[in-house]
Amino acid sequence: MRTIALYGTLAALITAALILITTQGGPAFATHTYDRLKHPKSKPDRAGPSISHSQSHFSPAKQWEYNYKRDRRNYGLSEEQCTAAFPKLYKEVDRAVTYRKKRGNVTSEELDPSWRGDGIVRAMIHDNQVYIIDAHGIWDANHRPRSIATLHSLNRAVTATSEQLPDVEFTFTDHDSALRPEDSGRTTWGYSRLANQESVWLMPDFGGLRSYSELQSILEADEDDFIDKNPKLIWRGSLNVGSGHDAREGLIRYSLNQPWSDVQTLDWHNNTDIDEKLLSMQEHCEYMFTAQTEGNTYSGRLKYLLNCHSVLLAHDMNFIEHFHHLLQASGPEQNYVKLKRDFSDLQRQMSKLGKPANMPATKSIADNALKTFRERYLTPAAEACYWRALIRGWASVQGFEPQVWEDDGKAVNDWRGEMKTKRKMRGVPFESYVIMEEVEWEIPSKPRKVCIEEG
Ligand SMILES: *[C@@H]1O[C@H](CO)[C@@H](O)[C@H](O)[C@H]1NC(C)=O
Ligand SMILES: *[C@@H]1O[C@H](CO)[C@@H](O)[C@H](O)[C@H]1NC(C)=O
């Protein structure tokens, strides 16, 4: 019998979620737009609801417009609505397509997941159904929740649409950074990439905390007005991280003993420390100023911090997530404050932002962040639109037809004694996979036990 061992306590899970790390400013690629509204491989539309352009013969044509309150949790916006609601969302998809057009179409050989020892899933979408082909090393406390959360989020985008999606086959990895240095040039979908890792297709990462939508609901109901918030800079985190260590040290150094600072380090091995200092994301939003630092690679908390109606201060980031190009460091649309990677300009910026005379300008940065992120580009509706754009973009450079059948099948005699081919489909449908967490299992199914080890 097979037993899935889950290592680490639930606390460790939450911990891992909270210390997810991440990213950087816009890549220096020319934006190219493949025609998202025309995808040669897709079958005729399943007659999804089309946008009504006019209410009656007597009124002028009226374009559909995104309405935050009404549409933010609509996972099934049409492609046309997705374009109207989130015009600037698809830059990373367009970039990956452009890159792939230069390099040549994706081949099926590139989908072999063996280059990445663990945390990689090979999947297929056929006729608007997600199939898992190979789930590679995703059983531990780190990979399991991430890969399952990503599959749920993808599946939601696929099942919510009434439009026909092209058939695609791909891999995604649930590692913080899709590629290690030795993986240079590999093609896969991932949560983050470095600017020079052009072969990575960025996918949304809305795992991590309990629920992203839940946080949005809590904030909508209970968040204070900006002016009533605690006028300090909030940050909690560990210094025990990978590539973002230098940035975190800089933040600690330049906020030390400042009257505006509530910056504190956490020691994840010290329960007293965690009990005293750990804050929920909603508690972070009670502050006027939030700080973002990279961790092991990108920092998963950025998308949560951007949901606060607060001013985000972030250093120059190395890792890119799918929405980073929407961060604006200057101009009338400014939605965050960009600092040097070592935070040496933190004190100057904080005294400028906190001056009473500058409050209207400071608040407008928070207002812009709210409008851009919580109310538009980081909504569940935008997430689903992005997934479908990723699927369509990938299909436009997919140099093979995904194979739906395992092989040519076996010839058997049917009830009339005539020869007939029996075939088996590849992989397992998403709905079965998330119950069994296996691509192959015995029938009838055996009892399964998830062991939670103390540790
Ligand atoms: C654990 O954390 C508490 C509270 O921050 C601190 O007073 C104590 O010294 C820490 N213990 C160790 C062993 O670091
Ligand atoms: C690349 O793939 C696309 C989509 O399958 C196809 O239309 C195109 O002809 C392919 N290009 C080449 C050069 O094979």
Side-chain angles (χ1 to χ4, degrees):
M1 186 195 311
R2 198 177 296 226
T3 303
I4 300 168
L6 264 188
Y7 300 104
T9 60
L10 191 57
L13 265 181
I14 294 166
T15 304
L18 281 171
I19 55 176
L20 286 180
I21 358 303
T22 301
T23 322
Q24 140 159 2
F29 304 99
T31 304
H32 160 91
T33 306
Y34 59 90
D35 193 347
R36 266 192 304 277
L37 292 170
K38 283 194 206 102
H39 10 90
K41 279 196 169 180
S42 67
K43 292 157 201 148
D45 206 285
R46 291 199 245 183
S50 73
I51 299 171
S52 132
H53 288 287
S54 70
Q55 301 301 325
S56 80
H57 291 296
F58 305 106
S59 67
K62 196 161 174 287
Q63 287 293 124
W64 178 88
E65 267 179 34
Y66 170 76
N67 175 314
Y68 163 65
K69 286 273 176 222
R70 183 193 61 198
D71 303 319
R72 69 194 192 282
R73 300 233 172 121
N74 186 342
Y75 293 102
L77 294 179
S78 70
E79 193 173 7
E80 216 174 322
Q81 289 170 327
C82 286
T83 303
F86 314 115
K88 293 188 267 183
L89 181 61
Y90 313 103
K91 180 169 178 205
E92 269 296 321
V93 176
D94 295 346
R95 180 206 60 77
V97 169
T98 306
Y99 167 75
R100 208 55 226 213
K101 285 202 165 140
K102 276 188 294 184
R103 192 171 139 182
N105 277 344
V106 178
T107 65
S108 58
E109 289 72 37
E110 290 178 84
L111 306 187
D112 182 344
S114 56
W115 59 271
R116 181 104 222 193
D118 60 3
I120 187 165
V121 175
R122 180 172 185 166
M124 170 173 76
I125 296 167
H126 166 64
D127 203 7
N128 284 43
Q129 166 72 48
V130 176
Y131 293 87
I132 311 337
I133 310 278
D134 186 359
H136 216 71
I138 55 161
W139 302 115
D140 67 19
N142 187 31
H143 296 300
R144 180 175 176 265
R146 290 175 177 214
S147 59
I148 293 175
T150 291
L151 284 169
H152 272 282
S153 148
L154 168 65
N155 186 62
R156 207 158 50 193
V158 171
T159 54
T161 181
S162 55
E163 295 167 337
Q164 181 77 43
L165 293 169
D167 284 3
V168 290
E169 187 170 345
F170 54 90
T171 61
F172 73 80
T173 131
D174 62 36
H175 285 270
D176 284 347
S177 174
L179 302 184
R180 299 161 297 188
E182 65 266 37
D183 301 326
S184 173
R186 294 279 184 192
T187 299
T188 192
W189 301 3
Y191 303 134
S192 82
R193 66 181 187 88
L194 291 166
N196 65 7
Q197 294 174 334
E198 297 175 78
S199 59
V200 175
W201 294 61
L202 290 182
M203 59 180 185
D205 157 29
F206 289 95
L209 302 186
R210 247 166 66 128
S211 162
Y212 185 78
S213 301
E214 184 184 60
L215 175 71
Q216 291 190 328
S217 292
I218 293 171
L219 292 176
E220 275 163 30
D222 291 344
E223 193 179 27
D224 281 335
D225 285 346
F226 180 76
I227 292 302
D228 296 331
K229 291 189 178 200
N230 185 340
K232 286 186 174 174
L233 177 71
I234 179 69
W235 186 83
R236 292 288 185 276
S238 167
L239 286 180
N240 191 16
V241 295
S243 66
H245 184 85
D246 58 325
R248 291 182 176 211
E249 268 193 345
L251 171 63
I252 304 299
R253 177 170 166 205
Y254 289 104
S255 60
L256 194 68
N257 297 329
Q258 297 297 317
W260 43 257
S261 168
D262 189 353
V263 168
Q264 299 188 48
T265 55
L266 296 177
D267 176 2
W268 290 103
H269 302 294
N270 177 342
N271 289 336
T272 319
D273 200 55
I274 297 301
D275 283 349
E276 283 177 13
K277 297 197 259 172
L278 186 63
L279 296 181
S280 68
M281 195 45 67
Q282 131 204 27
E283 288 166 326
H284 279 77
C285 295
E286 290 168 7
Y287 291 75
M288 267 189 194
F289 304 100
T290 61
Q292 159 70 10
T293 53
E294 290 187 326
N296 283 330
T297 61
Y298 74 106
S299 177
R301 80 176 79 167
L302 178 57
K303 61 188 171 290
Y304 294 100
L305 292 175
L306 285 172
N307 266 276
C308 304
H309 183 205
S310 302
V311 173
L312 176 97
L313 288 84
H315 62 79
D316 217 355
M317 291 180 276
N318 290 334
F319 285 89
I320 303 166
E321 291 173 278
H322 81 281
F323 60 88
H324 281 204
H325 63 280
L326 297 164
L327 288 162
Q328 287 287 336
S330 60
E333 302 288 304
Q334 182 178 2
N335 52 33
Y336 86 117
V337 175
K338 185 171 168 178
L339 299 175
K340 296 207 169 95
R341 190 168 170 96
D342 66 1
F343 282 91
S344 55
D345 47 353
L346 174 64
Q347 298 177 358
R348 190 173 51 79
Q349 281 290 352
M350 280 303 294
S351 60
K352 185 173 132 204
L353 293 164
K355 274 208 183 79
N358 291 338
M359 257 311 134
T362 300
K363 179 174 179 293
S364 84
I365 299 174
D367 293 346
N368 287 340
L370 186 74
K371 273 188 280 178
T372 305
F373 296 107
R374 191 204 296 179
E375 297 188 353
R376 194 176 287 269
Y377 286 101
L378 291 180
T379 53
E383 175 198 315
C385 287
Y386 184 89
W387 273 120
R388 290 188 293 266
L390 175 60
I391 292 163
R392 288 173 171 131
W394 178 264
S396 75
V397 291
Q398 181 176 258
F400 59 92
E401 200 59 68
Q403 292 304 309
V404 176
W405 305 104
E406 222 161 54
D407 50 30
D408 293 340
K410 283 199 297 243
V412 292
N413 287 323
D414 74 2
W415 65 279
R416 289 167 301 204
E418 288 171 17
M419 293 297 271
K420 190 161 180 184
T421 308
K422 283 220 163 136
R423 300 190 292 180
K424 192 166 172 266
M425 288 186 84
R426 286 172 69 219
V428 55
F430 165 80
E431 292 81 355
S432 309
Y433 177 81
V434 290
I435 295 170
M436 302 307 285
E437 293 185 31
E438 292 281 357
V439 172
E440 307 272 357
W441 64 84
E442 292 166 63
I443 298 175
S445 67
K446 301 274 174 65
R448 300 161 65 81
K449 198 163 79 195
V450 176
C451 303
I452 310 279
E453 283 185 16
E454 291 300 317

